[in-house]
Short mmCIF file of all heavy atoms in Angstrom, two decimals:
data_model
loop_
_atom_site.label_atom_id
_atom_site.label_comp_id
_atom_site.label_asym_id
_atom_site.label_seq_id
_atom_site.Cartn_x
_atom_site.Cartn_y
_atom_site.Cartn_z
N ASN A 177 110.32 100.14 98.81
CA ASN A 177 109.89 99.83 100.16
C ASN A 177 109.62 98.34 100.27
O ASN A 177 108.89 97.79 99.47
CB ASN A 177 108.63 100.59 100.51
CG ASN A 177 108.88 102.06 100.69
OD1 ASN A 177 109.99 102.46 101.03
ND2 ASN A 177 107.87 102.87 100.46
N LYS A 178 110.20 97.74 101.27
CA LYS A 178 110.03 96.31 101.46
C LYS A 178 109.90 96.02 102.96
O LYS A 178 110.64 96.58 103.76
CB LYS A 178 111.24 95.59 100.88
CG LYS A 178 111.05 94.14 100.65
CD LYS A 178 112.24 93.58 99.89
CE LYS A 178 111.91 92.23 99.36
NZ LYS A 178 112.99 91.63 98.63
N VAL A 179 108.97 95.14 103.32
CA VAL A 179 108.77 94.76 104.72
C VAL A 179 108.95 93.25 104.83
O VAL A 179 108.40 92.50 104.03
CB VAL A 179 107.36 95.17 105.21
CG1 VAL A 179 107.11 94.65 106.61
CG2 VAL A 179 107.19 96.67 105.15
N ASN A 180 109.75 92.80 105.81
CA ASN A 180 110.00 91.38 106.05
C ASN A 180 109.82 91.08 107.53
O ASN A 180 110.08 91.93 108.38
CB ASN A 180 111.44 91.00 105.66
CG ASN A 180 111.70 91.15 104.20
OD1 ASN A 180 110.83 90.94 103.38
ND2 ASN A 180 112.91 91.52 103.86
N PHE A 181 109.44 89.87 107.82
CA PHE A 181 109.35 89.39 109.19
C PHE A 181 110.56 88.50 109.47
O PHE A 181 111.11 87.88 108.55
CB PHE A 181 108.06 88.60 109.41
CG PHE A 181 106.84 89.45 109.27
CD1 PHE A 181 106.14 89.50 108.08
CD2 PHE A 181 106.40 90.22 110.34
CE1 PHE A 181 105.02 90.29 107.95
CE2 PHE A 181 105.28 91.02 110.22
CZ PHE A 181 104.59 91.05 109.02
N HIS A 182 110.98 88.45 110.73
CA HIS A 182 112.12 87.57 111.07
C HIS A 182 111.93 86.96 112.46
O HIS A 182 111.17 87.47 113.28
CB HIS A 182 113.44 88.35 111.00
CG HIS A 182 113.59 89.40 112.06
ND1 HIS A 182 113.23 90.70 111.85
CD2 HIS A 182 114.07 89.34 113.32
CE1 HIS A 182 113.48 91.40 112.94
NE2 HIS A 182 113.98 90.60 113.85
N THR A 183 112.61 85.85 112.66
CA THR A 183 112.66 85.18 113.94
C THR A 183 114.03 84.53 114.06
O THR A 183 114.75 84.41 113.07
CB THR A 183 111.53 84.14 114.09
OG1 THR A 183 111.53 83.65 115.42
CG2 THR A 183 111.69 83.00 113.11
N GLY A 184 114.39 84.12 115.24
CA GLY A 184 115.70 83.50 115.39
C GLY A 184 116.00 83.18 116.84
O GLY A 184 115.11 83.18 117.69
N ALA A 185 117.26 82.95 117.12
CA ALA A 185 117.73 82.66 118.47
C ALA A 185 119.10 83.30 118.65
O ALA A 185 119.94 83.26 117.74
CB ALA A 185 117.81 81.16 118.70
N VAL A 186 119.31 83.90 119.82
CA VAL A 186 120.59 84.54 120.14
C VAL A 186 121.02 84.01 121.50
O VAL A 186 120.25 84.00 122.44
CB VAL A 186 120.43 86.07 120.21
CG1 VAL A 186 121.74 86.73 120.62
CG2 VAL A 186 119.93 86.63 118.90
N VAL A 187 122.26 83.59 121.58
CA VAL A 187 122.86 83.20 122.86
C VAL A 187 124.10 84.05 123.02
O VAL A 187 124.91 84.16 122.10
CB VAL A 187 123.23 81.70 122.90
CG1 VAL A 187 123.91 81.35 124.21
CG2 VAL A 187 121.99 80.85 122.71
N GLY A 188 124.23 84.71 124.17
CA GLY A 188 125.37 85.59 124.34
C GLY A 188 125.65 85.94 125.78
O GLY A 188 125.06 85.40 126.71
N TRP A 189 126.56 86.89 125.93
CA TRP A 189 126.97 87.38 127.24
C TRP A 189 126.61 88.85 127.31
O TRP A 189 127.00 89.63 126.44
CB TRP A 189 128.48 87.19 127.40
CG TRP A 189 128.99 87.60 128.74
CD1 TRP A 189 129.46 88.83 129.10
CD2 TRP A 189 129.07 86.80 129.90
NE1 TRP A 189 129.81 88.85 130.40
CE2 TRP A 189 129.61 87.60 130.93
CE3 TRP A 189 128.74 85.49 130.19
CZ2 TRP A 189 129.82 87.12 132.21
CZ3 TRP A 189 128.97 85.02 131.46
CH2 TRP A 189 129.50 85.83 132.45
N GLY A 190 125.86 89.25 128.33
CA GLY A 190 125.42 90.63 128.45
C GLY A 190 126.50 91.55 128.95
O GLY A 190 127.22 91.22 129.91
N LEU A 191 126.66 92.69 128.32
CA LEU A 191 127.66 93.67 128.72
C LEU A 191 127.25 94.39 130.00
O LEU A 191 128.05 94.57 130.90
CB LEU A 191 127.88 94.69 127.60
CG LEU A 191 128.88 95.80 127.87
CD1 LEU A 191 130.28 95.22 128.05
CD2 LEU A 191 128.87 96.79 126.73
N PHE A 192 125.99 94.80 130.09
CA PHE A 192 125.54 95.56 131.24
C PHE A 192 125.08 94.69 132.40
O PHE A 192 125.28 95.03 133.55
CB PHE A 192 124.42 96.52 130.83
CG PHE A 192 124.88 97.54 129.84
CD1 PHE A 192 124.48 97.47 128.53
CD2 PHE A 192 125.74 98.55 130.22
CE1 PHE A 192 124.91 98.40 127.61
CE2 PHE A 192 126.19 99.49 129.31
CZ PHE A 192 125.77 99.42 128.01
N ASP A 193 124.44 93.56 132.11
CA ASP A 193 123.97 92.71 133.20
C ASP A 193 124.95 91.59 133.55
O ASP A 193 124.71 90.82 134.46
CB ASP A 193 122.58 92.14 132.89
CG ASP A 193 122.52 91.40 131.57
OD1 ASP A 193 123.55 91.24 130.91
OD2 ASP A 193 121.41 90.99 131.18
N GLN A 194 126.07 91.51 132.85
CA GLN A 194 127.17 90.60 133.17
C GLN A 194 126.72 89.16 133.40
O GLN A 194 126.94 88.58 134.45
CB GLN A 194 127.93 91.10 134.40
CG GLN A 194 128.59 92.44 134.21
CD GLN A 194 129.69 92.40 133.17
OE1 GLN A 194 130.48 91.48 133.14
NE2 GLN A 194 129.71 93.39 132.31
N GLY A 195 126.09 88.57 132.42
CA GLY A 195 125.67 87.19 132.55
C GLY A 195 125.30 86.60 131.20
O GLY A 195 125.08 87.30 130.23
N MET A 196 125.25 85.28 131.15
CA MET A 196 124.90 84.59 129.93
C MET A 196 123.38 84.55 129.78
O MET A 196 122.65 84.40 130.76
CB MET A 196 125.45 83.18 129.95
CG MET A 196 125.38 82.47 128.64
SD MET A 196 126.41 81.01 128.66
CE MET A 196 126.31 80.57 126.97
N TYR A 197 122.93 84.72 128.54
CA TYR A 197 121.49 84.76 128.28
C TYR A 197 121.18 84.15 126.92
O TYR A 197 122.06 83.95 126.09
CB TYR A 197 120.98 86.21 128.31
CG TYR A 197 121.48 87.04 127.16
CD1 TYR A 197 120.77 87.13 125.98
CD2 TYR A 197 122.69 87.72 127.24
CE1 TYR A 197 121.23 87.86 124.91
CE2 TYR A 197 123.16 88.47 126.18
CZ TYR A 197 122.43 88.53 125.02
OH TYR A 197 122.90 89.26 123.96
N SER A 198 119.90 83.85 126.70
CA SER A 198 119.40 83.47 125.37
C SER A 198 118.17 84.34 125.10
O SER A 198 117.44 84.72 126.02
CB SER A 198 119.06 81.99 125.30
OG SER A 198 118.01 81.68 126.16
N TYR A 199 117.97 84.68 123.83
CA TYR A 199 116.90 85.59 123.42
C TYR A 199 116.24 85.00 122.18
O TYR A 199 116.93 84.60 121.24
CB TYR A 199 117.51 86.96 123.14
CG TYR A 199 116.57 88.02 122.63
CD1 TYR A 199 115.39 88.31 123.29
CD2 TYR A 199 116.89 88.75 121.50
CE1 TYR A 199 114.54 89.30 122.83
CE2 TYR A 199 116.04 89.75 121.03
CZ TYR A 199 114.88 90.01 121.71
OH TYR A 199 114.05 90.98 121.25
N LEU A 200 114.92 84.90 122.18
CA LEU A 200 114.16 84.34 121.06
C LEU A 200 113.28 85.43 120.46
O LEU A 200 112.12 85.58 120.83
CB LEU A 200 113.31 83.17 121.53
CG LEU A 200 114.07 82.01 122.16
CD1 LEU A 200 113.12 81.02 122.78
CD2 LEU A 200 114.97 81.36 121.13
N PRO A 201 113.83 86.23 119.52
CA PRO A 201 113.08 87.37 118.98
C PRO A 201 112.12 86.99 117.86
O PRO A 201 112.33 86.04 117.13
CB PRO A 201 114.18 88.28 118.44
CG PRO A 201 115.26 87.34 118.02
CD PRO A 201 115.21 86.22 119.02
N LEU A 202 111.08 87.78 117.75
CA LEU A 202 110.13 87.74 116.64
C LEU A 202 109.94 89.20 116.25
O LEU A 202 109.55 90.03 117.08
CB LEU A 202 108.81 87.13 117.08
CG LEU A 202 107.70 87.08 116.05
CD1 LEU A 202 108.11 86.22 114.86
CD2 LEU A 202 106.42 86.57 116.66
N GLY A 203 110.25 89.54 114.98
CA GLY A 203 110.23 90.95 114.63
C GLY A 203 109.91 91.24 113.19
O GLY A 203 109.54 90.36 112.41
N ILE A 204 110.07 92.52 112.86
CA ILE A 204 109.76 93.03 111.53
C ILE A 204 110.88 93.97 111.08
O ILE A 204 111.43 94.71 111.88
CB ILE A 204 108.39 93.74 111.55
CG1 ILE A 204 107.94 94.12 110.16
CG2 ILE A 204 108.39 94.94 112.48
CD1 ILE A 204 106.50 94.56 110.09
N ASN A 205 111.23 93.89 109.79
CA ASN A 205 112.24 94.77 109.18
C ASN A 205 111.57 95.57 108.07
O ASN A 205 110.70 95.07 107.37
CB ASN A 205 113.36 93.97 108.49
CG ASN A 205 114.12 93.11 109.43
OD1 ASN A 205 114.23 93.40 110.60
ND2 ASN A 205 114.65 92.02 108.90
N ARG A 206 112.04 96.80 107.89
CA ARG A 206 111.57 97.61 106.77
C ARG A 206 112.77 98.23 106.08
O ARG A 206 113.62 98.83 106.71
CB ARG A 206 110.64 98.71 107.24
CG ARG A 206 110.16 99.54 106.07
CD ARG A 206 109.07 100.47 106.44
NE ARG A 206 108.65 101.17 105.23
CZ ARG A 206 108.38 102.44 105.18
NH1 ARG A 206 108.46 103.17 106.27
NH2 ARG A 206 108.01 103.00 104.06
N LEU A 207 112.84 98.05 104.77
CA LEU A 207 113.87 98.64 103.93
C LEU A 207 113.23 99.79 103.16
O LEU A 207 112.29 99.59 102.41
CB LEU A 207 114.45 97.60 102.96
CG LEU A 207 115.53 98.08 102.01
CD1 LEU A 207 116.77 98.52 102.77
CD2 LEU A 207 115.88 96.97 101.03
N THR A 208 113.74 101.01 103.34
CA THR A 208 113.17 102.19 102.69
C THR A 208 113.76 102.37 101.29
O THR A 208 114.71 101.68 100.91
CB THR A 208 113.42 103.46 103.51
OG1 THR A 208 114.82 103.74 103.51
CG2 THR A 208 112.92 103.31 104.94
N ARG A 209 113.23 103.32 100.55
CA ARG A 209 113.73 103.61 99.20
C ARG A 209 115.18 104.12 99.22
O ARG A 209 115.90 103.96 98.26
CB ARG A 209 112.86 104.66 98.53
CG ARG A 209 111.58 104.09 98.02
CD ARG A 209 110.80 105.15 97.31
NE ARG A 209 109.53 105.24 98.02
CZ ARG A 209 108.73 106.26 98.00
NH1 ARG A 209 109.03 107.32 97.31
NH2 ARG A 209 107.60 106.24 98.65
N ASN A 210 115.58 104.74 100.32
CA ASN A 210 116.95 105.26 100.45
C ASN A 210 117.91 104.23 101.04
O ASN A 210 118.99 104.58 101.48
CB ASN A 210 116.96 106.51 101.32
CG ASN A 210 116.15 107.63 100.71
OD1 ASN A 210 115.97 107.68 99.50
ND2 ASN A 210 115.65 108.52 101.54
N ASN A 211 117.50 102.97 101.10
CA ASN A 211 118.28 101.85 101.64
C ASN A 211 118.57 101.95 103.13
O ASN A 211 119.58 101.46 103.61
CB ASN A 211 119.58 101.65 100.86
CG ASN A 211 119.33 101.09 99.49
OD1 ASN A 211 118.34 100.40 99.26
ND2 ASN A 211 120.19 101.39 98.56
N PHE A 212 117.70 102.60 103.87
CA PHE A 212 117.80 102.56 105.33
C PHE A 212 117.00 101.36 105.82
O PHE A 212 115.93 101.06 105.29
CB PHE A 212 117.26 103.84 105.97
CG PHE A 212 118.23 104.97 105.92
CD1 PHE A 212 118.12 105.95 104.97
CD2 PHE A 212 119.26 105.05 106.84
CE1 PHE A 212 119.02 106.99 104.91
CE2 PHE A 212 120.17 106.08 106.80
CZ PHE A 212 120.06 107.06 105.83
N VAL A 213 117.52 100.70 106.84
CA VAL A 213 116.86 99.53 107.42
C VAL A 213 116.37 99.89 108.81
O VAL A 213 117.13 100.39 109.64
CB VAL A 213 117.82 98.33 107.50
CG1 VAL A 213 117.13 97.14 108.13
CG2 VAL A 213 118.37 97.98 106.14
N LEU A 214 115.09 99.65 109.07
CA LEU A 214 114.49 99.82 110.39
C LEU A 214 114.05 98.45 110.86
O LEU A 214 113.37 97.74 110.12
CB LEU A 214 113.30 100.77 110.33
CG LEU A 214 113.56 102.14 109.73
CD1 LEU A 214 112.24 102.88 109.53
CD2 LEU A 214 114.49 102.93 110.60
N SER A 215 114.42 98.07 112.07
CA SER A 215 114.11 96.74 112.56
C SER A 215 113.65 96.82 114.01
O SER A 215 114.23 97.54 114.82
CB SER A 215 115.34 95.84 112.45
OG SER A 215 115.08 94.56 112.97
N PHE A 216 112.61 96.07 114.34
CA PHE A 216 112.10 96.00 115.71
C PHE A 216 111.74 94.56 116.01
O PHE A 216 111.14 93.88 115.18
CB PHE A 216 110.85 96.89 115.86
CG PHE A 216 110.22 96.79 117.21
CD1 PHE A 216 110.82 97.37 118.32
CD2 PHE A 216 109.05 96.09 117.39
CE1 PHE A 216 110.24 97.28 119.58
CE2 PHE A 216 108.47 95.98 118.64
CZ PHE A 216 109.06 96.58 119.73
N ASP A 217 112.13 94.08 117.18
CA ASP A 217 111.72 92.74 117.59
C ASP A 217 111.50 92.68 119.09
O ASP A 217 112.03 93.48 119.85
CB ASP A 217 112.70 91.66 117.12
CG ASP A 217 114.11 91.84 117.62
OD1 ASP A 217 114.31 91.93 118.84
OD2 ASP A 217 115.02 91.87 116.78
N ILE A 218 110.68 91.70 119.50
CA ILE A 218 110.40 91.45 120.91
C ILE A 218 110.45 89.95 121.14
O ILE A 218 110.30 89.16 120.21
CB ILE A 218 109.04 92.01 121.35
CG1 ILE A 218 107.91 91.38 120.54
CG2 ILE A 218 109.00 93.51 121.26
CD1 ILE A 218 106.53 91.75 121.05
N GLY A 219 110.66 89.56 122.38
CA GLY A 219 110.66 88.14 122.70
C GLY A 219 111.17 87.89 124.11
O GLY A 219 111.67 88.80 124.78
N PRO A 220 111.06 86.67 124.58
CA PRO A 220 111.54 86.34 125.92
C PRO A 220 113.06 86.24 125.96
O PRO A 220 113.70 85.81 125.01
CB PRO A 220 110.90 84.98 126.21
CG PRO A 220 110.71 84.38 124.86
CD PRO A 220 110.42 85.52 123.94
N LYS A 221 113.62 86.68 127.08
CA LYS A 221 115.07 86.60 127.31
C LYS A 221 115.27 85.76 128.57
O LYS A 221 114.70 86.06 129.62
CB LYS A 221 115.61 88.01 127.52
CG LYS A 221 117.09 88.09 127.73
CD LYS A 221 117.49 89.55 127.85
CE LYS A 221 118.95 89.69 128.12
NZ LYS A 221 119.35 91.10 128.26
N TYR A 222 116.06 84.69 128.45
CA TYR A 222 116.31 83.80 129.58
C TYR A 222 117.72 84.03 130.10
O TYR A 222 118.68 83.94 129.35
CB TYR A 222 116.15 82.34 129.16
CG TYR A 222 116.43 81.36 130.27
CD1 TYR A 222 115.49 81.18 131.28
CD2 TYR A 222 117.61 80.65 130.33
CE1 TYR A 222 115.73 80.29 132.32
CE2 TYR A 222 117.86 79.76 131.35
CZ TYR A 222 116.93 79.58 132.34
OH TYR A 222 117.17 78.71 133.35
N ARG A 223 117.83 84.39 131.37
CA ARG A 223 119.14 84.58 132.00
C ARG A 223 119.54 83.29 132.71
O ARG A 223 118.84 82.82 133.60
CB ARG A 223 119.09 85.73 133.00
CG ARG A 223 118.98 87.06 132.32
CD ARG A 223 118.99 88.17 133.32
NE ARG A 223 119.91 87.90 134.41
CZ ARG A 223 120.93 88.68 134.74
NH1 ARG A 223 121.15 89.77 134.08
NH2 ARG A 223 121.71 88.36 135.74
N PHE A 224 120.68 82.73 132.32
CA PHE A 224 121.14 81.47 132.89
C PHE A 224 121.58 81.61 134.34
O PHE A 224 121.40 80.70 135.13
CB PHE A 224 122.28 80.89 132.05
CG PHE A 224 121.83 80.40 130.70
CD1 PHE A 224 122.01 81.18 129.58
CD2 PHE A 224 121.22 79.17 130.56
CE1 PHE A 224 121.60 80.75 128.34
CE2 PHE A 224 120.80 78.72 129.33
CZ PHE A 224 120.99 79.51 128.21
N ASP A 225 122.16 82.74 134.71
CA ASP A 225 122.65 82.94 136.08
C ASP A 225 121.51 82.94 137.10
O ASP A 225 121.61 82.34 138.16
CB ASP A 225 123.42 84.25 136.19
CG ASP A 225 124.70 84.24 135.37
OD1 ASP A 225 125.14 83.14 134.98
OD2 ASP A 225 125.24 85.32 135.11
N ASP A 226 120.42 83.66 136.77
CA ASP A 226 119.28 83.76 137.69
C ASP A 226 118.22 82.70 137.44
O ASP A 226 117.30 82.56 138.24
CB ASP A 226 118.61 85.13 137.54
CG ASP A 226 119.56 86.27 137.84
OD1 ASP A 226 120.57 86.04 138.52
OD2 ASP A 226 119.29 87.38 137.37
N GLU A 227 118.31 82.01 136.29
CA GLU A 227 117.30 81.04 135.85
C GLU A 227 115.92 81.69 135.82
O GLU A 227 114.94 81.16 136.34
CB GLU A 227 117.31 79.80 136.73
CG GLU A 227 118.61 79.02 136.64
CD GLU A 227 118.61 77.75 137.45
OE1 GLU A 227 117.61 77.47 138.15
OE2 GLU A 227 119.60 77.03 137.37
N GLU A 228 115.85 82.88 135.20
CA GLU A 228 114.61 83.62 135.10
C GLU A 228 114.37 84.10 133.67
O GLU A 228 115.32 84.33 132.93
CB GLU A 228 114.64 84.86 136.00
CG GLU A 228 114.69 84.55 137.47
CD GLU A 228 114.72 85.82 138.31
OE1 GLU A 228 114.98 86.91 137.75
OE2 GLU A 228 114.49 85.72 139.51
N PHE A 229 113.10 84.24 133.32
CA PHE A 229 112.72 84.83 132.04
C PHE A 229 112.43 86.32 132.23
O PHE A 229 111.81 86.71 133.22
CB PHE A 229 111.47 84.14 131.46
CG PHE A 229 111.74 82.80 130.87
CD1 PHE A 229 111.56 81.65 131.60
CD2 PHE A 229 112.19 82.70 129.56
CE1 PHE A 229 111.81 80.41 131.05
CE2 PHE A 229 112.44 81.47 128.99
CZ PHE A 229 112.25 80.32 129.74
N TRP A 230 112.88 87.13 131.27
CA TRP A 230 112.65 88.57 131.27
C TRP A 230 112.13 88.97 129.90
O TRP A 230 112.48 88.34 128.90
CB TRP A 230 113.95 89.32 131.55
CG TRP A 230 114.46 89.14 132.93
CD1 TRP A 230 115.20 88.10 133.39
CD2 TRP A 230 114.27 90.00 134.02
NE1 TRP A 230 115.49 88.26 134.71
CE2 TRP A 230 114.92 89.44 135.13
CE3 TRP A 230 113.60 91.22 134.19
CZ2 TRP A 230 114.93 90.04 136.38
CZ3 TRP A 230 113.62 91.81 135.43
CH2 TRP A 230 114.27 91.22 136.51
N PRO A 231 111.33 90.03 129.80
CA PRO A 231 110.94 90.51 128.48
C PRO A 231 112.13 91.19 127.80
O PRO A 231 112.95 91.82 128.47
CB PRO A 231 109.83 91.52 128.77
CG PRO A 231 110.05 91.93 130.18
CD PRO A 231 110.70 90.79 130.88
N GLY A 232 112.23 91.02 126.50
CA GLY A 232 113.32 91.64 125.75
C GLY A 232 112.80 92.31 124.50
O GLY A 232 111.77 91.93 123.95
N ALA A 233 113.51 93.36 124.05
CA ALA A 233 113.12 94.07 122.83
C ALA A 233 114.36 94.77 122.27
O ALA A 233 115.24 95.16 123.02
CB ALA A 233 112.03 95.09 123.11
N THR A 234 114.43 94.90 120.95
CA THR A 234 115.50 95.66 120.31
C THR A 234 114.91 96.51 119.18
O THR A 234 113.91 96.15 118.57
CB THR A 234 116.60 94.76 119.70
OG1 THR A 234 116.03 93.93 118.69
CG2 THR A 234 117.26 93.89 120.74
N PHE A 235 115.57 97.63 118.94
CA PHE A 235 115.24 98.51 117.83
C PHE A 235 116.55 98.86 117.15
O PHE A 235 117.50 99.28 117.82
CB PHE A 235 114.53 99.77 118.33
CG PHE A 235 114.18 100.71 117.22
CD1 PHE A 235 113.16 100.40 116.33
CD2 PHE A 235 114.85 101.89 117.05
CE1 PHE A 235 112.83 101.26 115.30
CE2 PHE A 235 114.54 102.77 116.02
CZ PHE A 235 113.52 102.44 115.15
N LYS A 236 116.63 98.66 115.85
CA LYS A 236 117.87 98.89 115.11
C LYS A 236 117.60 99.80 113.91
O LYS A 236 116.57 99.68 113.25
CB LYS A 236 118.45 97.58 114.61
CG LYS A 236 118.76 96.59 115.71
CD LYS A 236 119.15 95.26 115.13
CE LYS A 236 119.19 94.22 116.22
NZ LYS A 236 119.31 92.87 115.70
N ILE A 237 118.55 100.67 113.64
CA ILE A 237 118.52 101.53 112.45
C ILE A 237 119.86 101.36 111.75
O ILE A 237 120.91 101.38 112.40
CB ILE A 237 118.33 103.01 112.83
CG1 ILE A 237 117.03 103.21 113.57
CG2 ILE A 237 118.38 103.88 111.59
CD1 ILE A 237 116.85 104.60 114.12
N GLY A 238 119.84 101.16 110.44
CA GLY A 238 121.08 100.96 109.71
C GLY A 238 120.97 101.37 108.25
O GLY A 238 119.91 101.81 107.80
N LYS A 239 122.04 101.21 107.53
CA LYS A 239 122.11 101.55 106.11
C LYS A 239 122.53 100.32 105.34
O LYS A 239 123.54 99.69 105.66
CB LYS A 239 123.11 102.69 105.91
CG LYS A 239 123.35 103.09 104.49
CD LYS A 239 122.28 104.02 104.00
CE LYS A 239 122.69 104.57 102.63
NZ LYS A 239 121.59 105.02 101.88
N ALA A 240 121.76 99.94 104.32
CA ALA A 240 122.08 98.79 103.47
C ALA A 240 122.95 99.26 102.31
O ALA A 240 122.73 100.34 101.76
CB ALA A 240 120.82 98.13 102.95
N PHE A 241 123.95 98.47 101.96
CA PHE A 241 124.86 98.81 100.84
C PHE A 241 124.67 97.86 99.69
O PHE A 241 124.34 96.76 99.82
CB PHE A 241 126.31 98.75 101.30
CG PHE A 241 126.62 99.77 102.35
CD1 PHE A 241 126.59 99.45 103.69
CD2 PHE A 241 126.95 101.05 101.98
CE1 PHE A 241 126.89 100.40 104.65
CE2 PHE A 241 127.25 102.01 102.94
CZ PHE A 241 127.21 101.67 104.28
#
C-alpha cells in the first residue's frame, strides 16, 4: 500500500463542453497491494471561451503493470 500526492497543469480541448480549458489539479493517489491505482484530484478549471473559472474534479481507477 502506497499513498502519494500530486499536482500539475492540464491544457486541453473539452469533448462535452467543446472549448479550450486549463485545469490545475491537486490530488492524491493510492496504490493497493493488488496493483490497482485509485486517484482523486480537485482544482480550478479555466475556460478560455467564456473567460470563467469553474470547479473541477476527477476520479480515476486503473491497474499498474
Side-chain angles (χ1 to χ4, degrees):
N177 289 333
K178 197 172 194 180
V179 175
N180 296 326
F181 294 96
H182 68 267
T183 188
V186 177
V187 177
W189 183 269
L191 179 64
F192 297 108
D193 55 5
Q194 297 295 317
M196 191 166 188
Y197 69 91
S198 64
Y199 177 52
L200 301 171
L202 177 62
I204 187 168
N205 298 332
R206 180 170 183 222
L207 179 64
T208 67
R209 282 183 239 159
N210 298 335
N211 288 333
F212 280 100
V213 178
L214 305 171
S215 177
F216 176 73
D217 59 55
I218 59 172
K221 182 177 178 181
Y222 179 75
R223 288 183 38 121
F224 290 100
D225 295 343
D226 300 339
E227 296 183 357
E228 294 180 345
F229 284 96
W230 292 83
T234 61
F235 180 71
K236 301 172 191 169
I237 300 173
K239 177 81 171 158
F241 296 96

